[in-house]
Amino acid sequence: MPRIITNETYGCPPIRALTFDSLGLIKVTEARGKERGTPTVVNTWGETNASRCVLAASIDDRLSNPLLAVARKDGSVEVLNPCNGDLHFAYSVFGDDGSSPEDDEISGLHLFRKQSDYQAERSCSLLTCTKKGDVSLRSVKFPDAHADSTDDAAPKTWKACGSGELLVGKVDGSENFGLFGGKRVEVNIWDLEQCTKIWSAKSPPKDNLGIFTPTWFTCAAFLSNEDHRKFVTGTKSHQVRLYDVSAQRRPVLSFDFRETAITAISEDPDGHTIYVGNASADLASFDIRTGKLLGSFLGKCSGSIRSVVRHPQQQVIASCGLDRYLRVYDVKTRQLISAVFLKQHLTGLVFDSGFSGEDIAVANTVVEAESEENMTIMEQEDEEEQNEDRLEEAPVKKKKSKKDKRSREEVSGGEEIDEVRSKKTRDHKKKSKKVKHIQEE
Amino acid sequence: MGYKRKRGDGEGEEMEAEDRGRPSFNGTEKRNVILPSMIKNKDKRSKVYAKQKHEKKLEKQKKIKARDAAEKRALELGEEPPQKMIPRTIENTRESDETICRPDDEELFAEIDADEFNPVLRREITPKVLITTCRFNSTRGPAFISELLSVIPNSHYQKRGTYDLKKIVEYATKKDFTSLIVVHTRRREPDALLIIGLPNGPTAHFKLSNLVLRKDIKNHGNPTSHEPELVLNNFTTRLGNRVGRFFQSLFPQEPNFRGRRVVTFHNQRDFIFFRHHRYIFETKESKQSGTKGKESVVGEKVKARLQECGPRFTLKLVTLQHGTFDTKGGEFEWVHKPEMDTSRRRFFL
């Protein structure tokens, strides 16, 4: 018997979510209005290119001058403006030659929220880690119109693991500590200022049959913003583990969740609820103090969940993954609020919490105006730069249209082939006719 | 049941309300309101039921007659005949689905250009298929495999032995195979098909049912070694498109039309029907031409005939996995869950 779930239509609170997909597109989904509405795709940034598949993303959604960092498959890291998608800055992790090694990819990215220097408006610092274990911490200045040298101080780099694959790179709320882990790499915590390892986990003991499950961390999350000592991790062997740095090196608590790898984990601001998504599209919330399942989120989700995010203010979580849908759930009732079809395999998701719903356009312009006021000297130059940006954008659009044409041509080419085929069959018919004639004669 | 009864009651009330003004209708309609299932005496019940059924039949006949007459009259008068009613089926009342591919979708084409099957479908690589079995294999399994070998060109069979599937995947990748098919047998009957795209393509797990082998098909033909033509029907959604392209990537993309071989994957309500045919165009002289001599050529008619050959089976997608076979750590692109079955009219392919 099919179960019939009758959902009351809750409507979606005003949210703004940015999703990243396997073709390198960034899609902006917004639910507007004071009244609860339905989220819709309002913007798509970037060109379709499979080599620019987004691997990791991080957002700094402060009210003035928000930033969004995106790491792509070809090794480039881009810093964008999440309001309008303007590119501030881009660099390649694997040196300037741009060629990325075959088996090395970016696995973690963090955009620091606290500002190290006073020129906060035009710079940011980024932490990236790659699969081979290279962690680099660098602060970048956006190139200005008059001086386009990117004079960033030499990035701090270190190796977070000797062997294995680094899959998780996280930075805690105070942004002093980084957490790394992965395939055959036990979770370890680094002090980001001194670049020293301060703690590393110990793998759990063999079970009663003497079987050792190999270490394979896939995701991690710090439990609260203030505390860097407690964090939860998800493993490939469908285990969720809670570690406490101050207590012991082995997990304080660990429990299983279903039967496939845990792929996404996210914390709630209340400090004890976590949301866990796995590779066979199950999403559930747990109370980490006891390890008890609070309930699962049913939403007809059919593909592996790649990312789960809790909205900082609204009572919603969103998940996205290989089933090409962005799903928004209510936290309290665990009901699906809405699902948006976004066409590609989605790899990541962030919320823009600066979005308030009804006055988006106004807010953005205000922000821009403020920043312009701050930079009294460079105002004109900035404007020029913006103009230039627009100019630069124009040919991109043209390119897109060309691409459109090409794809259409390809389609028509396919039709031509069909025609050729039908011709061939026709020829064949004729031939058979001829044969008949000959026989008759 | 309860629902039905309620509805019937409601109708009855309505009719009563309507018919108060027209007492002539009252008698028959009121009697119809009594449902046979409400009568407790079996003899009486069956009688009433039979009577009702008979009435219904008469009514239907009358309706059909009237319709035919109207059509005939329209034809005679040279008018447009009344529109034919289209029966409602589960397919044409399918729930609207936003994942259905549209021809004007650029992102769809971009993704198609980037997916794992593209090199094969662009004829940059010729497909090479490795067929193997599960650990234990007997009777119908090998027969089915030998027929699969004749259906799929450039396919090779290897004994499974006791190798892990992951090891076999590794081996096949090294030998430049483009896909791997595992025929799973249970109780001497093939019951599942696992198709793995190599080197990094997806893994599709199908349930296999209704297998009829060639020798059990009446008047079957024997396939030739020509490259077959491929017919993929009704793979409309994004998932369907992906599965269809997966099937397509098993076959070489240059059909040899001389061979007149067709392989069909027909999707209907998420079941994929596999058929393998030979066709022939026959020229027949139609008798209606009537005239003698040279003009008889004009009356020639080309008729296509089909002959089924090769196995016949039905597939149903169970899971589609991202990457090659990995049961423990693999990520699923699509799995079926009970919560998705909210309607008979929702289909995924």
Side-chain angles (χ1 to χ4, degrees):
Chain A
M1 272 294 283
R3 248 184 287 168
I4 296 166
I5 305 165
T6 48
N7 280 355
E8 298 145 45
T9 46
Y10 291 99
C12 194
I15 53 167
R16 179 182 155 99
L18 294 104
T19 52
F20 312 97
D21 62 33
S22 57
L23 286 180
L25 297 177
I26 302 172
K27 287 188 180 171
V28 187
T29 310
E30 280 178 9
R32 294 191 185 191
K34 250 180 207 169
E35 294 305 310
R36 309 196 132 200
T38 50
T40 45
V41 182
V42 291
N43 245 326
T44 306
W45 302 328
E47 277 182 68
T48 54
N49 183 352
S51 70
R52 287 170 62 73
C53 167
V54 178
L55 297 173
S58 174
I59 193 170
D60 178 7
D61 48 1
R62 57 198 162 182
L63 274 178
S64 72
N65 202 10
L67 292 173
L68 170 75
V70 168
R72 297 187 187 269
K73 201 175 185 181
D74 57 358
S76 64
V77 175
E78 290 174 2
V79 182
L80 307 156
N81 182 349
C83 295
N84 51 17
D86 286 348
L87 182 68
H88 284 310
F89 183 74
Y91 72 93
S92 178
V93 174
F94 307 111
D96 291 327
D97 51 338
S99 60
S100 65
E102 274 295 296
D103 50 344
D104 206 4
E105 284 175 354
I106 298 171
S107 55
L109 174 71
H110 184 82
L111 181 68
F112 283 87
R113 284 167 200 188
K114 64 172 183 193
Q115 294 300 327
S116 48
D117 47 355
Y118 300 105
Q119 292 173 307
E121 294 294 336
R122 308 289 299 164
S123 74
C124 64
S125 39
L126 287 158
L127 175 104
T128 55
C129 62
T130 65
K131 271 192 175 172
K132 280 188 173 167
D134 298 311
V135 183
S136 80
L137 185 67
R138 72 165 83 193
S139 59
V140 288
K141 257 183 170 178
F142 305 144
D144 287 333
H146 58 276
D148 45 17
S149 63
T150 63
D151 77 317
D152 43 348
K156 283 189 217 169
T157 56
W158 69 91
K159 273 264 186 194
C161 65
S163 63
E165 261 177 46
L166 202 67
L167 298 174
V168 189
K170 282 264 172 190
V171 175
D172 75 322
S174 63
E175 301 189 324
N176 293 323
F177 301 96
L179 178 156
F180 304 101
K183 186 182 176 183
R184 297 196 298 276
V185 182
E186 280 294 341
V187 177
N188 45 49
I189 288 190
W190 289 69
D191 189 326
L192 294 181
E193 279 185 6
Q194 270 103 47
C195 301
T196 48
K197 193 196 271 187
I198 55 169
W199 184 83
S200 72
K202 218 173 171 185
S203 52
K206 290 172 183 173
D207 64 1
N208 55 355
L209 296 173
I211 296 168
F212 173 73
T213 46
T215 315
W216 196 330
F217 290 98
T218 51
C219 51
F222 284 98
L223 268 189
S224 70
N225 271 339
E226 294 82 43
D227 192 9
H228 75 277
R229 286 170 299 183
K230 274 189 175 180
F231 58 90
V232 279
T233 58
T235 66
K236 205 83 171 171
S237 49
H238 56 266
Q239 231 176 22
V240 180
R241 293 179 190 161
L242 169 70
Y243 286 93
D244 192 344
V245 174
S246 51
Q248 61 188 38
R249 290 180 64 196
R250 286 201 164 129
V252 178
L253 180 76
S254 70
F255 53 90
D256 285 353
F257 175 54
R258 304 283 159 97
E259 274 149 5
T260 50
I262 310 286
T263 49
I265 208 161
S266 156
E267 79 285 358
D268 195 272
D270 68 3
H272 54 80
T273 311
I274 56 162
Y275 306 101
V276 181
N278 78 357
S280 58
D282 303 306
L283 180 63
S285 60
F286 281 92
D287 190 335
I288 198 63
R289 292 172 297 190
T290 55
K292 285 261 168 65
L293 177 74
L294 293 176
S296 50
F297 293 83
L298 298 178
K300 295 175 188 168
C301 187
S302 59
S304 166
I305 291 168
R306 282 286 176 92
S307 172
V308 180
V309 180
R310 166 76 154 86
H311 197 279
Q313 284 107 39
Q314 307 286 351
Q315 292 284 313
V316 292
I317 63 165
S319 78
C320 72
L322 296 184
D323 68 340
R324 305 158 202 264
Y325 271 97
L326 166 72
R327 287 186 159 77
V328 184
Y329 300 88
D330 192 301
V331 168
K332 286 273 140 54
T333 58
R334 289 191 289 274
Q335 293 290 325
L336 180 72
I337 293 174
S338 64
V340 189
F341 180 58
L342 293 174
K343 295 181 182 176
Q344 260 73 249
H345 290 161
L346 303 174
T347 54
L349 163 73
V350 289
F351 271 124
D352 184 359
S353 65
F355 177 76
S356 60
E358 61 271 18
D359 50 357
I360 346 93
V362 184
N364 285 350
T365 50
V366 166
V367 168
E368 278 173 20
E370 275 177 11
S371 58
E372 274 171 24
E373 277 169 21
N374 286 342
M375 289 177 286
T376 45
I377 313 160
M378 294 188 287
E379 206 178 288
Q380 286 181 341
E381 285 162 357
D382 253 17
E383 275 175 16
E384 281 173 17
E385 192 190 323
Q386 281 177 0
N387 286 341
E388 277 174 17
D389 280 356
R390 271 168 214 158
L391 282 175
E392 277 171 13
E393 270 177 24
V396 170
K397 274 177 189 170
K398 269 185 191 172
K399 266 183 199 168
K400 252 193 179 174
S401 64
K402 268 182 197 170
K403 217 175 183 184
D404 293 358
K405 276 180 193 168
R406 203 192 62 191
S407 61
R408 267 167 215 161
E409 276 168 15
E410 277 173 12
V411 171
S412 62
E415 284 168 8
E416 276 172 21
I417 290 168
D418 283 354
E419 279 175 18
V420 169
R421 274 184 196 170
S422 58
K423 262 187 190 174
K424 269 187 185 174
T425 50
R426 258 177 256 152
D427 287 352
H428 175 74
K429 280 179 212 167
K430 278 177 193 169
K431 269 176 195 170
S432 58
K433 272 184 194 173
K434 272 179 193 170
V435 170
K436 264 257 163 128
H437 281 297
I438 292 160
Q439 281 174 353
E440 278 174 10
E441 280 165 19
Chain B
M1 280 278 280
Y3 176 62
K4 263 187 184 169
R5 191 173 294 176
K6 244 187 224 167
R7 199 176 169 188
D9 288 348
E11 274 178 9
E13 277 163 28
E14 267 183 1
M15 281 184 178
E16 276 171 17
E18 253 183 71
D19 292 343
R20 249 166 229 162
R22 287 168 290 172
S24 61
F25 269 98
N26 230 351
T28 53
E29 290 293 331
K30 236 188 182 175
R31 208 182 299 151
N32 276 350
V33 170
I34 300 163
L35 287 173
S37 58
M38 289 157 76
I39 300 166
K40 282 185 180 162
N41 184 319
K42 188 176 181 184
D43 190 39
K44 180 75 180 164
R45 185 169 67 228
S46 55
K47 265 181 195 166
V48 170
Y49 179 68
K51 198 178 174 190
Q52 261 188 22
K53 205 178 171 189
H54 183 64
E55 269 170 20
K56 242 182 215 171
K57 198 180 159 191
L58 286 183
E59 212 169 282
K60 204 174 176 186
Q61 277 177 352
K62 219 188 266 174
K63 222 170 155 186
I64 291 169
K65 240 179 202 172
R67 201 179 61 200
D68 287 350
E71 202 171 314
K72 215 173 182 182
R73 203 168 51 231
L75 266 179
E76 275 172 5
L77 293 172
E79 287 169 6
E80 281 279 301
Q83 275 198 340
K84 273 194 175 166
M85 309 281 265
I86 300 161
R88 259 200 297 167
T89 58
I90 286 186
E91 278 92 6
N92 64 24
T93 53
R94 177 177 179 166
E95 268 184 15
S96 64
D97 192 350
E98 59 217 337
T99 66
I100 283 177
C101 299
R102 296 185 197 294
D104 56 340
D105 192 353
E106 297 162 29
E107 290 174 30
L108 167 71
F109 291 111
E111 200 192 275
I112 282 177
D113 281 342
D115 74 0
E116 299 96 332
F117 320 117
N118 202 37
V120 173
L121 301 192
R122 274 225 194 125
R123 308 179 201 182
E124 285 160 11
I125 307 169
T126 47
K128 191 178 168 195
V129 181
L130 179 68
I131 300 180
T132 187
T133 61
C134 58
R135 281 276 172 81
F136 305 103
N137 186 29
S138 68
T139 50
R140 293 252 286 176
F144 176 52
I145 285 168
S146 69
E147 288 186 9
L148 268 188
L149 285 172
S150 71
V151 170
I152 304 172
N154 202 7
S155 56
H156 308 268
Y157 170 67
Q158 290 276 332
K159 270 191 187 167
R160 170 70 184 263
T162 54
Y163 292 104
D164 285 346
L165 207 48
K166 280 190 184 173
K167 283 270 152 54
I168 293 174
V169 167
E170 241 169 63
Y171 163 84
T173 322
K174 222 181 276 169
K175 295 264 173 172
D176 293 328
F177 282 97
T178 57
S179 19
L180 168 66
I181 299 179
V182 181
V183 179
H184 189 266
T185 318
R186 182 186 163 88
R187 300 164 92 183
R188 296 172 294 287
E189 180 72 26
D191 74 334
L193 210 60
L194 194 71
I195 308 181
I196 305 172
L198 300 172
N200 40 21
T203 304
H205 179 211
F206 294 99
K207 185 180 84 178
L208 192 149
S209 55
N210 297 340
L211 172 66
V212 182
L213 294 177
R214 185 178 302 147
K215 71 173 180 23
D216 301 325
I217 296 174
K218 255 188 186 177
N219 298 327
H220 68 87
N222 288 318
T224 51
S225 59
H226 295 89
E227 282 83 8
E229 297 160 48
L230 207 59
V231 179
L232 297 163
N233 277 346
N234 284 344
F235 290 98
T236 50
T237 63
R238 289 303 279 267
L239 178 71
N241 183 30
R242 207 163 153 72
V243 173
R245 281 174 69 81
F246 201 1
F247 285 131
Q248 201 181 344
S249 73
L250 295 176
F251 291 88
Q253 299 306 304
E254 291 131 335
N256 193 339
F257 294 102
R258 288 266 158 153
R260 306 194 312 280
R261 257 176 90 190
V262 198
V263 169
T264 313
F265 290 93
H266 173 83
N267 170 36
Q268 191 169 359
R269 306 186 188 176
D270 282 355
F271 288 94
I272 300 160
F273 298 95
F274 175 92
R275 295 290 183 274
H276 182 200
H277 288 101
R278 281 168 67 194
Y279 63 91
I280 191 159
F281 292 112
E282 284 191 331
T283 50
K284 268 190 179 174
E285 284 175 34
S286 62
K287 286 166 190 170
Q288 290 171 347
S289 59
T291 48
K292 293 161 194 170
K294 291 163 195 171
E295 280 182 18
S296 66
V297 182
V298 184
E300 222 166 55
K301 216 172 157 188
V302 180
K303 224 178 166 187
R305 262 195 326 124
L306 280 180
Q307 185 182 32
E308 190 166 352
C309 46
R312 179 199 289 176
F313 54 86
T314 309
L315 298 174
K316 182 147 203 277
L317 185 65
V318 179
T319 59
L320 183 67
Q321 204 179 32
H322 196 68
T324 54
F325 181 79
D326 187 359
T327 43
K328 269 196 172 167
E331 282 185 291
F332 291 95
E333 280 179 38
W334 188 81
V335 274
H336 187 264
K337 284 185 178 174
E339 75 207 42
M340 296 194 281
D341 296 325
T342 50
S343 163
R344 294 168 67 201
R345 297 168 202 281
R346 176 202 310 280
F347 302 111
F348 301 101
L349 288 181

